[in-house]
Amino acid sequence: MMYIGVDLGGTGIKAGVVTEKGEILSKGSTPTKNERPYAEIIADIAALCRRVVGEAGLTMDDVKAIGVGVPGICDPRTGVIPFCTNLGWHEVPFVDEMHKHIDLPVVVSNDATVAGYAESIAGVSAGTSSSVFVTLGTGVGGGVVIGGKPYSGAHGVGSEIGHMILQMDGEPCTCGNRGCFERYASATAIIREGRKAVEKHPESAIMARCGGKPERINAKTVIDCAKEGDETAKAVFDQYVKGLALGLVSIINILDPEVIVLGGGVSMAGAFLLDAVREAMKPYVFYKTMPYARVELAQLGADAGIIGAALLGRE
């Protein structure tokens, strides 16, 4: 049997037909147009599912289940999405609405959770029993796999790694708390600190790279300048790496996974980031004479959401 995986985002919807082993047979996409009522968006999801099945030369009878990764909180007991910021959704009966269009089992979960699950099956953490996926983007997302299965807690709201409180009364977070991990380990954190840094050091290469306009600074600007040896950029990057390392060590102390996988836009810095984080973690690891999780870069890229969502259907 085959599975359909749907990666639902604020701007685009991606879907694909996936085998038991995590191989994509066909895939497609459509704009989300998130200003519309949820019923219209879900109707488009169903239509896209039918389309990719047809393009794979199959029928819906060949599909066992549909899995959907959503950038928000999902209640696995009811199929309701209580909260999804990117779409402005509150208490959306997602599974019931999908069943108006397609009569197949539908499973929903957080998008970072399904991406981490995909990596554990067909990516860099394949073959392990426990892993944690950390997405380093505008915010910080998390996907926890325990015993080979995705874990979202007793109420479906687990694995919110980005909202571990790393610093008491720290940087304000969009969630309403202060000091959350994502305030120090996201691309947003690099941008914020990069802009602060150039106020004190306008001679920095960061300013030259952004044409003298701090509002144009992005995470790549800072990281590229750090790679090239600019002292101001290096200071921002080193501080970022320390925050990331502290969060990863906290994950190790709580869950002791076999692998921690770094994904998202910041992870595109590759070995420059990976080597720095591995080194920065060493002084903070609690059991210094014991082995601990290796840290790796994600391998599946943009397909992780489709693959992981589809394979939720196996569960």
Side-chain angles (χ1 to χ4, degrees):
M1 295 296 287
M2 302 298 166
Y3 302 86
I4 299 173
V6 179
D7 186 358
L8 173 59
T11 57
I13 305 164
K14 296 183 290 185
V17 178
V18 180
T19 70
E20 288 268 1
K21 295 181 179 180
E23 300 165 344
I24 297 177
L25 299 184
S26 67
K27 61 182 178 180
S29 63
T30 191
T32 307
K33 300 178 185 175
N34 63 3
E35 70 281 357
R36 299 179 298 158
Y38 70 79
E40 293 183 17
I41 295 173
I42 295 172
D44 280 355
I45 292 172
L48 179 60
C49 289
R50 292 185 180 282
R51 191 177 95 202
V52 296
V53 167
E55 289 173 355
L58 303 170
T59 71
M60 298 303 285
D61 290 337
D62 299 308
V63 177
K64 185 175 182 180
I66 299 171
V68 185
V70 178
I73 296 170
C74 307
D75 187 334
R77 300 164 300 176
T78 63
V80 170
I81 298 172
F83 184 64
C84 181
T85 304
N86 289 355
L87 298 172
W89 284 3
H90 297 273
E91 303 300 330
V92 170
F94 187 91
V95 171
D96 286 349
E97 194 67 32
M98 277 288 288
H99 282 158
K100 293 178 181 179
H101 305 280
I102 296 177
D103 185 22
L104 282 173
V106 177
V107 186
V108 291
S109 188
N110 175 265
D111 56 357
T113 296
V114 303
Y117 187 40
E119 289 287 344
S120 76
I121 293 171
V124 70
S125 50
T128 64
S129 175
S130 61
S131 59
V132 177
F133 181 72
V134 182
T135 59
L136 307 172
T138 303
V140 172
V144 178
V145 175
I146 297 176
K149 298 182 182 297
Y151 177 79
S152 297
H155 308 98
V157 297
S159 75
E160 285 291 347
I161 288 166
H163 297 287
M164 295 189 298
I165 295 178
L166 201 64
Q167 183 172 326
M168 185 169 65
D169 299 325
E171 288 284 340
C173 183
T174 55
C175 75
N177 286 331
R178 301 181 71 96
C180 292
F181 180 36
E182 74 171 39
R183 293 298 91 193
Y184 305 94
S186 61
T188 304
I190 300 175
I191 295 166
R192 181 188 69 238
E193 295 305 316
R195 289 174 179 173
K196 286 182 185 177
V198 297
E199 288 180 9
K200 296 179 180 179
H201 300 282
E203 77 284 359
S204 168
I206 299 172
M207 281 292 273
R209 187 68 61 89
C210 69
K213 296 182 178 180
E215 66 273 15
R216 292 184 179 176
I217 293 172
N218 58 34
K220 187 176 187 300
T221 305
V222 176
I223 293 171
D224 285 348
C225 290
K227 284 181 181 179
E228 294 166 8
D230 178 74
E231 291 300 323
T232 301
K234 283 171 62 180
V236 172
F237 179 73
D238 289 347
Q239 187 66 17
Y240 169 81
V241 166
K242 182 177 181 180
L244 177 56
L246 289 172
L248 299 186
V249 169
S250 295
I251 293 168
I252 290 171
N253 290 343
I254 296 166
L255 294 175
D256 185 27
E258 295 168 73
V259 185
I260 294 177
V261 181
L262 302 182
V266 177
S267 72
M268 299 302 289
F272 183 70
L273 174 69
L274 188 62
D275 293 346
V277 170
R278 287 171 172 169
E279 192 64 29
M281 289 170 63
K282 290 178 182 178
Y284 302 107
V285 173
F286 186 47
Y287 295 103
K288 300 189 187 303
T289 61
M290 296 286 289
Y292 59 90
R294 72 181 193 270
V295 182
E296 304 288 354
L297 297 174
Q299 291 181 342
L300 298 178
D303 288 338
I306 292 174
I307 295 169
L311 296 182
L312 285 177
R314 300 194 313 181
E315 304 302 326

